[in-house]
Amino acid sequence: MDHCHTSDLISLEQALEKMLSLLSPLQQTESIALTAAAGRITAAPVISPIDVPPFANSAMDGYAVRLTDLQANTPLPVAGKAFAGAPFNGDWPLNTCIRIMTGAPVPAGTEAVIMQEQAEVSDVGVRFTAEVQNGQNIRLAGEDIRQGAGVLPAGVRLGAAQLPLLASLGVAEVQVMRKLKVAVFSTGDELQPVGQPLQAGQIYDTNRFAVRLMLEQLGCEVIDLGIIRDNQEALRAAFEQADSQADVVISSGGVSVGEADYTKQMLDELGEVSFWKLAIKPGKPFAFGKLKHAWFCGLPGNPVSAALTFYQLVQPLLAKLAGHSDWQLPPRLKARALTPLKKAPGRLDFQRGVFTSNAQGELEVSTTGHQGSHIFSSFSQGNCFIVLERERGSVAAGEMVEIEPFNALLRN
C-alpha cells in the first residue's frame, strides 16, 4: 500500500531536468584506431580527407562519348574499354566512343555516358537511339562528399551505420570521448552474489548484476565493488573508494524512507545528495547528487524498480556525461490495449507490455502479467513500457494507451 501523499512526489520530468541541468560532458578525449572505435562517442567533427567519389566516373554500363562526335548521327566505332579499377588511358581518336562500365573513371574529354539500353551495336560501330544531355550519367568528383567537408558531428555514437562510412573515406583514426568510469555496489545483509548458495532469508543480488550488464552495454568502464554489508564503516569505505576512482557511483538499496538513516547522514558528509520520492511506478525511492568527486545515483532495492530508474534516469545522465549529444529514448507511440491494465491514480506508471502490429497495421499491446516490482521476468517477456499517465486510473481492454518500445538496453 502506498501511504505517501502524492504532493510529496517529484515528477520524472522534474527529476531528469534537475539532474541534466547540473551535468557537463567529460572533457578528456583520446585518438583511437577506427577498428577499435565501435560504441565510442565522437569528440570532434570528423572531416573527410578525400573527395567522394575521388574521380569522375560512370553511373551506368554504356558508352562514353564527346557530343561533337555524335553530330553526324552515324555509328561510332569502339576505341577501347574502361572498367572500374582498369581505366582507359590510351589516345581517344575523334568520331569514336569508349565502352565503359559502372564506376569506371571517365576518359578525359568525356561529356556524357549513354546507357547500353540506348545503343545499337553492329559491325560498323555503335548507333545511339536517344537524346543525349551534356553531363548525363557522370558522377563528378566530390559530388557526394567534398574533401574537407564535415562527415559526422561531435557527440555521435559510432556503430554499423557510421564506421563503414569513415572506412570508405580512409579515416584510420578517430578522436573520441574517453570512457566513463562507473563504480557499482549493492547494500544489504540479505544479498548473496549470483552463483553462491542461498542461506535462510537471503536473495540473489540481481540489481548489481543487471546494472553492470547495462553499463557494459553503454560502453562504460565498470568498477564492481560487490555487496556492502549494512555496516557504517564498510559503507563509508565503499563510498570513499568509489568516489576516488569513478566519474559516477551507482548503489542499489538503502534509499527508501525507513531504511538505515546513516546512509543519508554519511552521504550528507561526503557531498550533496537529494533523496527523492519519484511520482513513478515502479521506482519511487531515488537519490541523486554529487560526492566529493563523482556523481551519485542511488537506485531502489527492488529489481524492477532499479532497472526502470536506471533506464529512465541514469541512462540519459550517462549519455550526457559521455558526450553523446544525439542520444534519445525511442518515441512514444499510440496502441490499443488488448488486456485490462490495473492502475491507481497518483504516479506515472511504466507497466511492461508486448506490442505487435495487427493485420490493419495498427499497434496493439498486452500486459506481460503481474507487474510487481520484484517480478523481473516482466522485462524478459516484454518489448515495451505501457506508459500510463499520472492521474489515469485502470484501463479497460480496447482503450488507447501510450507505449515506449524498449531500446537496445532491454531488447534482446
Side-chain angles (χ1 to χ4, degrees):
M1 185 72 184
D2 190 347
H3 297 292
C4 159
H5 296 296
T6 57
S7 58
D8 299 342
L9 305 180
I10 179 172
S11 75
L12 179 69
E13 291 74 23
Q14 287 171 307
L16 197 52
E17 197 178 313
K18 208 167 185 177
M19 289 166 66
L20 296 181
S21 69
L22 296 171
L23 304 175
S24 299
L26 294 179
Q27 296 306 304
Q28 301 94 328
T29 67
E30 56 184 333
S31 188
I32 62 170
L34 194 69
T35 48
R40 301 298 293 272
I41 312 295
T42 54
V46 181
I47 306 303
S48 178
I50 59 169
D51 279 336
V52 179
F55 47 82
N57 67 88
S58 177
M60 294 282 177
D61 290 348
Y63 298 88
V65 297
R66 293 173 292 230
L67 298 184
T68 50
D69 292 342
L70 298 172
Q71 284 169 2
N73 201 24
T74 56
L76 300 181
V78 176
K81 293 180 180 176
F83 293 93
F88 174 81
N89 289 321
D91 287 334
W92 183 3
L94 292 176
N95 299 313
T96 63
C97 62
I98 306 290
R99 178 75 168 124
I100 194 165
M101 310 308 282
T102 304
V106 296
T110 302
E111 291 173 309
V113 170
I114 303 172
M115 68 170 87
Q116 59 193 19
E117 291 81 357
Q118 295 173 346
E120 290 176 355
V121 182
S122 67
D123 293 343
V124 291
V126 186
R127 195 176 74 79
F128 301 106
T129 59
E131 290 280 315
V132 181
Q133 303 293 320
N134 194 357
Q136 74 180 33
N137 299 325
I138 297 173
R139 296 189 287 222
L140 299 175
E143 196 174 281
D144 291 345
I145 301 170
R146 302 293 307 179
Q147 182 177 358
V151 183
L152 292 177
V156 173
R157 188 172 192 266
L158 295 168
Q162 295 79 22
L163 291 169
L165 168 66
L166 301 189
S168 75
L169 302 175
V171 173
E173 287 206 336
V174 63
Q175 194 75 15
V176 295
M177 306 295 291
R178 78 155 168 83
K179 286 188 172 190
L180 277 183
K181 294 178 184 165
V182 184
V184 293
F185 60 86
S186 298
T187 60
D189 289 339
E190 78 285 6
L191 299 177
Q192 188 72 328
V194 175
Q196 298 292 316
L198 291 178
Q199 307 300 320
Q202 290 187 327
I203 57 171
Y204 284 120
D205 179 19
T206 52
N207 288 6
R208 183 171 49 93
F209 182 59
V211 167
R212 195 177 71 212
L213 289 173
M214 291 193 285
L215 289 170
E216 285 167 355
Q217 229 175 316
L218 292 172
C220 300
E221 197 177 300
V222 182
I223 303 160
D224 190 344
L225 299 180
I227 298 167
I228 311 301
R229 298 302 168 197
D230 289 328
N231 165 303
Q232 195 161 0
E233 288 70 38
L235 209 51
R236 181 185 293 278
F239 269 107
E240 287 177 343
Q241 182 188 346
D243 185 37
S244 68
Q245 293 180 353
D247 304 302
V248 180
V249 178
I250 300 175
S251 74
S252 71
V255 294
S256 292
V257 176
E259 295 194 42
D261 276 342
Y262 56 69
T263 308
K264 299 180 179 61
Q265 184 190 326
M266 183 173 42
L267 285 168
D268 283 342
E269 289 171 34
L270 295 176
E272 282 186 36
V273 175
S274 304
F275 287 81
W276 291 333
K277 288 181 280 187
L278 299 174
I280 64 171
K281 183 181 180 181
K284 186 170 64 179
F286 185 82
F288 169 74
K290 190 85 159 68
L291 306 176
K292 285 193 174 72
H293 307 289
W295 293 101
F296 170 71
C297 293
L299 307 182
N302 276 319
V304 175
S305 306
L308 177 79
T309 49
F310 185 100
Y311 186 93
Q312 294 290 341
L313 288 167
V314 182
Q315 193 182 187
L317 173 149
L318 296 173
K320 180 163 183 185
L321 272 183
H324 190 176
S325 57
D326 66 346
W327 185 89
Q328 53 190 351
L329 281 170
R332 291 183 186 168
L333 309 169
K334 294 282 184 200
R336 189 173 302 283
L338 295 179
T339 48
L341 305 168
K342 198 176 167 191
K343 182 186 183 296
R347 289 196 271 165
L348 181 67
D349 201 347
F350 289 89
Q351 301 198 11
R352 277 73 66 209
V354 182
F355 79 95
T356 52
S357 184
N358 67 18
Q360 288 73 47
E362 299 159 339
L363 296 180
E364 299 176 331
V365 67
S366 309
T367 177
T368 57
H370 196 297
Q371 297 292 310
S373 53
H374 58 295
I375 312 247
F376 207 84
S377 58
S378 62
F379 277 115
S380 64
Q381 292 160 7
N383 62 7
C384 70
F385 291 115
I386 305 171
V387 187
L388 301 178
E389 303 87 339
R390 187 169 175 174
E391 295 315 319
R392 192 167 185 174
S394 290
V395 173
E399 285 186 42
M400 296 303 289
V401 292
E402 276 200 322
I403 61 167
E404 185 181 289
F406 291 161
N407 70 5
L409 205 59
L410 293 176
R411 256 199 329 260
N412 295 332

